[in-house]
Amino acid sequence: MFSWLGTDDRRKKDPEVFQTVSDGLKKLYKTKLLPLEEHYKFHEFHSPALEDADFDNKPMVLLVGQYSTGKTSFIRYLLEQDFPGMRIGPEPTTDSFIAVMHGDTEGLIPGNALVVDPKKPFRKLNAFGNAFLNRFVCAQLPNPVLESISVIDTPGILSGEKQRISRGYDFAAVLEWFAERVDRIILLFDAHKLDISDEFSEVIKALKNHEDKIRVVLNKADQIETQQLMRVYGALMWSLGKIVNTPEVIRVYIGSFWSHPLLIPDNRKLFEAEEQDLFKDIQSLPRNAALRKLNDLIKRARLAKVHAYIISSLKKEMPSVFGKEGKKKELINSLGEIYSRIEREHQISPGDFPNLKKMQEQLNAHDLNKFQPLKIKLLDTVDDMLAHDIAGLMVLVRQEETNRPQQVVKGGAFDGTLNGPFGHGYGEGAGEGIDEAEWVVARDKPMYDEIFYTLSPVNGKVTGANAKKEMVKSKLPNTVLGKIWKLADIDKDGMLDDEEFALANHLIKVKLEGHELPADLPGHLIPPSKRKITAE
């Protein structure tokens, strides 16, 4: 008796169990979100329906920038090999979208063939027509970097109305389609020409709602002096601030991403540090791919809900017989008021609503009488998905991250500085003296010994209290000094002998010079007399 009620009640408390995050996302989308999208024509207004390949594909990196900012050279630098269809030059060379992906053999797949391949996540690009598909290719090649990620090269953004018209397809809309599906968007700027053209400004605005994916690269920075570079960086941040309306500052990486000698090597260390940070960001993409897809599905579900409220509100206001055209114009003109009403009635954030002007333009092409009224059951299903099933998938995301081996991008430029003396920071900070036969601390030990013997050592050791008096003179926080003590007190007796005291002062010097302390004491920093203790 009342078994249907009990089942429904249990269903809300016990979300569905999935084997993998990818399988869970596919099933939730098809069974819970897709019916809402189809009922309210979501795909005609915002984004085509998702397919299995959208959930299964490797992380993708989208490169966007004006011509001659080094987009293609950047890909060449990462892969450390040429790819099919690659052309590099100071003039606008790349006139196509090139998806650089892994393949057993090297070759090009034209756009029309690409959009019928169910294994590739590009089938819905078919909607942009032949003008776009003739400018879209997939370059496949066996490269270790591409085993973990795919890279999308885009045509150089030009300026002027004529250039926009000549493309024959909606360039900004194509980029928006990619932005929804990629894991990282890299905007490239040339340090020599920071002017942001009208089309580039339009493109950046099309990337709205995907600011969390955007990173900026100020490329070719080795070609200008330090003082100019500082000014260029400031001008870039100011320009971006006017276009990207977010309170957070977008991360900008400064460097020269190609394999040529640096023209002005003064900022070499800065470029190396920036490159390492960018590489770490890209290398983390496979590990965070499932979480990104989950995040994108939540964003899509929120937009689909708002869209349903808008469509059903318009349907409700339309007359059934006379005055349809007049009422349609009136409703479209007052869409901002409808947004405000929906916002108040359903407690929806203003940021969840689609662009007002764009929505008005799209509504002009539709018959509002053919829209569907509000169907609460469809919305409840999506709410249930967001409240229960997504929470279960979040747990599964963490489990997958823990169970799988460390997933990072390997090969190409990512392996270039992993080992040997050209690794980032090699021989600096705590790594100083790593290749030397002598103990590096011994250089300054006579100076440290003078201080040591003023601290009243007993049986060749100073107490923690006496050592602290000297160590706090560095003005480093107690948390840092505590770590230095832990590293320096090798025999763990709560006191420091002259070698341990010298080591502690050496580590203080490392920290004061702006380097990070090691988690464990490197072998070359262990005092020679203590190496037997640590080996046991």
Side-chain angles (χ1 to χ4, degrees), residues 66 157-161 164 195-205 243:
Q66 297 181 158
I157 295 168
L158 303 164
S159 56
E161 190 65 28
R164 264 202 303 281
D195 59 305
I196 299 179
S197 68
D198 295 341
E199 189 177 30
F200 200 8
S201 178
E202 186 183 319
V203 162
I204 295 173
K205 286 174 182 173
I243 300 170

Side-chain angles (χ1 to χ4, degrees), residues 107-115 117 120 136-140:
L108 285 171
I109 304 172
N112 280 291
L114 201 54
V115 295
D117 185 350
K120 296 278 194 298
F136 180 45
V137 293
C138 174
Q140 288 191 320

Side-chain angles (χ1 to χ4, degrees), residues 421 426 431-437 524:
Y426 187 91
E432 185 185 356
I434 191 169
D435 293 330
E436 296 176 20
H524 70 280

Side-chain angles (χ1 to χ4, degrees), residues 107 171 194 229 247 258 290 324 332 344 352 372 423 446 452:
F171 182 69
L194 278 188
L229 181 59
W258 65 347
K324 293 180 182 179
I332 292 173
R344 288 192 306 272
D352 286 354
Q372 298 293 333
F452 179 79

Side-chain angles (χ1 to χ4, degrees), residues 34 245 267 299:
L34 185 59
N245 297 315
N267 297 307
K299 280 201 283 189

Side-chain angles (χ1 to χ4, degrees), residues 333-385:
N333 289 333
S334 61
L335 189 61
E337 295 168 25
I338 294 171
Y339 276 18
S340 300
R341 190 175 72 242
I342 293 169
E343 185 186 326
R344 288 192 306 272
E345 286 178 6
H346 302 283
Q347 289 81 50
I348 296 170
S349 165
D352 286 354
F353 284 81
N355 180 276
L356 179 63
K357 189 177 177 184
K358 187 178 175 183
M359 192 71 178
Q360 286 172 323
E361 289 173 2
Q362 289 171 320
L363 285 169
N364 277 317
H366 284 80
D367 182 351
L368 273 54
N369 276 93
K370 292 184 178 177
F371 287 170
Q372 298 293 333
L374 194 64
K375 196 171 182 181
I376 297 297
K377 188 179 178 183
L378 288 173
L379 288 160
D380 285 347
T381 302
V382 173
D383 283 334
D384 180 55
M385 176 189 85

Side-chain angles (χ1 to χ4, degrees), residues 16-32:
E16 291 191 51
V17 178
F18 303 109
Q19 296 302 312
T20 68
V21 175
S22 181
D23 288 343
L25 289 172
K26 279 188 272 191
K27 188 169 182 185
L28 288 179
Y29 176 70
K30 288 176 184 173
T31 59
K32 300 197 171 184

Side-chain angles (χ1 to χ4, degrees), residues 35-182:
L36 179 74
E37 291 182 354
E38 289 176 337
H39 195 69
Y40 294 105
K41 301 179 184 288
F42 179 87
H43 308 135
E44 295 178 29
F45 284 85
H46 303 291
S47 174
L50 299 176
E51 297 192 329
D52 286 356
D54 290 308
F55 298 104
D56 296 333
N57 70 304
K58 295 170 189 171
M60 293 193 289
V61 178
L62 177 69
L63 299 183
V64 181
Q66 297 181 158
Y67 74 91
S68 192
T69 50
K71 296 187 298 298
T72 308
S73 296
F74 183 85
I75 300 173
R76 170 71 180 77
Y77 183 69
L78 293 185
L79 303 184
E80 290 189 340
Q81 75 174 94
D82 293 348
F83 57 88
M86 184 185 90
R87 288 173 61 216
I88 295 173
E91 75 283 3
T93 45
T94 303
D95 63 349
S96 301
F97 281 80
I98 303 176
V100 186
M101 307 182 82
H102 187 269
D104 295 330
T105 56
E106 214 170 289
L108 285 171
I109 304 172
N112 280 291
L114 201 54
V115 295
V116 296
D117 185 350
K119 293 182 181 178
K120 296 278 194 298
F122 306 122
R123 280 161 58 96
K124 297 297 181 178
L125 283 168
N126 191 50
F128 292 102
N130 271 330
F132 166 71
L133 296 178
N134 291 335
R135 298 286 183 198
F136 180 45
V137 293
C138 174
Q140 288 191 320
L141 67 156
N143 183 285
V145 173
L146 300 175
E147 289 176 7
S148 306
I149 59 170
S150 300
V151 188
I152 313 295
D153 194 8
T154 61
I157 295 168
L158 303 164
S159 56
E161 190 65 28
K162 183 182 174 185
Q163 305 294 351
R164 264 202 303 281
I165 293 168
S166 67
R167 290 194 194 275
Y169 60 90
D170 192 337
F171 182 69
V174 172
L175 281 177
E176 191 175 353
W177 186 94
F178 276 110
E180 284 181 23
R181 289 158 177 80
V182 300

